[in-house]
C-alpha cells in the first residue's frame, strides 16, 4: 500500500529527516548491506578469538545495525530471507545481553570504589558472574556459523534486485522504506507519550523504540535519507542519555538483589 505523501512529509519534518529521492537507491542499499555484513563477519571473528568488553560491545553494535537494515529491506521485498536472517542474528544478540549487563555494572561499580566499604565485595561478585556468563556465551559464539546467514543475506540482495527491476519497483521500494522509517518514528512518539517518572519500564520502552528509529535512519543515510550532522548528533546524544538511565536502573536492581541476598544470609545465620 502506498504512503500518503502529506503524512510522510509531516513525519519527516517532525523527525528532522528528509527523503532526497530514489536515484541510485539500489546501489546504495546493496553497498550498505555488504558493508554491514563484512563488519559483522570481522567483529564476530575477533570476538570468537577472545571475549572482552570492547569486543562484546562492537559485536552487539554490528548485529543491531545489520538487523536494522534487514528489517527495513524486509518491508520492501517479498522474500522471507530477511526475516530468517534477523531471527538468527537476534538469537545471537540475546545471548550477549547478560554479558553486556554485567560489564555495565562492573563499570558503574568502579565509580563507587573507595566511597563505601561493600564496593570491593560487590566488584568480586560481578567478576564471578562475568566469568560464568562469558563461558556461557562462548559456546554459541564459537558455534555461530556464517554459512546459512551468508546464503540468506545473498537471497535478500537478489530479491532486492528483482524488485527494483520490476515496473514501478523503485518507487514501491522507496515508499516501503519511507514507511518503515515512518512507523519507527510513530512508535517513538507513542512511547514518548506513555513515559512516566514512576515507571522505568516506560523509559526502557522509549529507549528501544528510539534506538530502532535511529538505526533505521542510519541505515538509509545518506544515500536515501537526508539527515544533517546536527540531527544525527542530537539523536546519538539522546540515545546516550536514555542508555545512562537504563544503566542506573540496572545498577539499582543489582544492588537490591544483593541486599536481598544479604538479608537472607543474616536470617540463616540467626537460625544456626
Amino acid at each position: 500500500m502506498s504512503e500518503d505523501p502529506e503524512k510522510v512529509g509531516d513525519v519527516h519534518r517532525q523527525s528532522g529527516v528528509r527523503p532526497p529521492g530514489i536515484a541510485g537507491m539500489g546501489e546504495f542499499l546493496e553497498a550498505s548491506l555488504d558493508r554491514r555484513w563484512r563488519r559483522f563477519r570481522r567483529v564476530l571473528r575477533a570476538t570468537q578469538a577472545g571475549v572482552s568488553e570492547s569486543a562484546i560491545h562492537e559485536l552487539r553494535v554490528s548485529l543491531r545495525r545489520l538487523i536494522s537494515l534487514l528489517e527495513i529491506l524486509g518491508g520492501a521485498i517479498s522474500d522471507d530471507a530477511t526475516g530468517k536472517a534477523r531471527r538468527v542474528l537476534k538469537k545471537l544478540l540475546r545471548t550477549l545481553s547478560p554479558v553486556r549487563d554485567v560489564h555495565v555494572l562492573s563499570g558503574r561499580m568502579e565509580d563507587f570504589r573507595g566511597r563505601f566499604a561493600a564496593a570491593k565485595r560487590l566488584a568480586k561478585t560481578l567478576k564471578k558472574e562475568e566469568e560464568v556468563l562469558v563461558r556461557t556465551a562462548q559456546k554459541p559464539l564459537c558455534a555461530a556459523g556464517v554459512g546459512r546467514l551468508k546464503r540468506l543475506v545473498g537471497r535478500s540482495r537478489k530479491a532486492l534486485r528483482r524488485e527494483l527491476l520490476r515496473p514501478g519497483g523503485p518507487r514501491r521500494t522507496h515508499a516501503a522504506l519511507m514507511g518503515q522509517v515512518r512507523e519507527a518514528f510513530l512508535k517513538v512518539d507513542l512511547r514518548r507519550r506513555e513515559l512516566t517518572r514512576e515507571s522505568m519500564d516506560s523509559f526502557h520502552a522509549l529507549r528501544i523504540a528510539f534506538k530502532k528509529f535511529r538505526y533505521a535512519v542510519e541505515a538509509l543515510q545518506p544515500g536515501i535519507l537526508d539527515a544533517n550532522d546536527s540531527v544525527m548528533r542530537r539523536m546519538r546524544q539522546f540515545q546516550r542519555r536514555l542508555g545512562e538511565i537504563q544503566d542506573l536502573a540496572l545498577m539499582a536492581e543489582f544492588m537490591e538483589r544483593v541486599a536481598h541476598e544479604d538479608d537472607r544470609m543474616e536470617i540463616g545465620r540467626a537460625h544456626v
Side-chain angles (χ1 to χ4, degrees):
M1 186 174 67
S2 62
E3 294 289 330
D4 183 333
E6 292 188 4
K7 289 183 179 180
V8 173
D10 288 342
V11 169
H12 288 139
R13 281 190 290 274
Q14 293 176 51
S15 63
V17 178
R18 296 182 293 110
I22 61 176
M25 180 173 56
E27 292 84 351
F28 171 81
L29 289 173
E30 285 198 40
S32 182
L33 183 58
D34 289 342
R35 185 168 58 252
R36 289 175 184 232
W37 169 251
R38 288 196 303 269
R39 172 70 175 173
F40 163 69
R41 288 282 306 273
R42 185 169 64 253
V43 176
L44 176 62
R45 284 194 295 268
T47 309
Q48 289 171 332
V51 177
S52 66
E53 182 174 354
S54 60
I56 291 292
H57 173 72
E58 290 298 323
L59 182 55
R60 281 170 53 84
V61 171
S62 67
L63 277 165
R64 289 192 181 280
R65 285 179 172 158
L66 181 55
I67 290 169
S68 176
L69 182 54
L70 288 169
E71 186 170 1
I72 291 172
L73 292 178
I77 60 180
S78 57
D79 198 298
D80 64 347
T82 57
K84 291 179 178 179
R86 288 202 320 273
R87 285 191 288 274
V88 175
L89 294 167
K90 284 181 178 180
K91 184 178 180 180
L92 181 57
L93 185 61
R94 285 193 298 270
T95 300
L96 301 174
S97 293
V99 184
R100 180 266 178 192
D101 287 348
V102 78
H103 283 158
V104 168
L105 290 170
S106 296
R108 291 287 178 180
M109 191 54 62
E110 287 298 319
D111 299 336
F112 293 104
R113 279 187 176 274
R115 295 170 60 182
F116 67 95
K120 188 175 181 179
R121 177 174 63 85
L122 294 176
K124 288 183 178 179
T125 299
L126 287 169
K127 185 63 176 177
K128 290 180 181 178
E129 289 190 10
E130 179 185 0
E131 291 172 355
V132 172
L133 290 170
V134 166
R135 285 198 300 269
T136 303
Q138 277 178 330
K139 185 175 180 180
L141 274 176
C142 293
V146 295
R148 180 168 179 253
L149 276 171
K150 184 177 181 179
R151 290 191 295 272
L152 290 171
V153 170
R155 271 178 53 187
S156 300
R157 186 186 297 107
K158 290 178 182 178
L160 174 63
R161 290 174 182 172
R162 287 196 302 270
E163 179 60 32
L164 290 173
L165 288 173
R166 290 170 182 163
R171 291 193 176 279
R172 280 196 307 274
T173 301
H174 187 265
L177 298 176
M178 295 303 100
Q180 293 282 323
V181 176
R182 175 177 180 267
E183 288 301 318
F185 178 76
L186 292 176
K187 179 63 71 66
V188 171
D189 189 48
L190 174 64
R191 298 307 183 206
R192 177 188 62 82
R193 286 184 277 111
E194 294 174 344
L195 197 65
T196 62
R197 289 184 179 182
E198 296 77 18
S199 172
M200 284 296 101
D201 287 343
S202 68
F203 281 91
H204 178 66
L206 175 61
R207 183 178 70 90
I208 295 300
F210 188 81
K211 182 181 290 187
K212 287 184 177 180
F213 171 64
R214 179 190 151 208
Y215 279 147
V217 171
E218 285 184 347
L220 304 181
Q221 171 78 10
I224 298 174
L225 288 178
D226 180 19
N228 60 46
D229 292 342
S230 176
V231 169
M232 299 306 298
R233 184 171 59 254
R234 291 200 301 272
M235 290 176 73
R236 288 191 293 270
Q237 289 172 344
F238 185 61
Q239 185 71 53
R240 279 196 296 271
R241 290 174 182 172
L242 290 174
E244 289 170 359
I245 293 172
Q246 176 64 19
D247 291 350
L248 290 173
L250 187 66
M251 187 67 178
E253 183 180 327
F254 170 71
M255 298 291 281
E256 185 177 350
R257 174 166 65 84
V258 170
H260 181 64
E261 291 174 357
D262 286 349
D263 288 343
R264 286 195 303 174
M265 290 176 64
E266 287 294 334
I267 294 172
R269 282 194 290 266
H271 286 82
V272 173

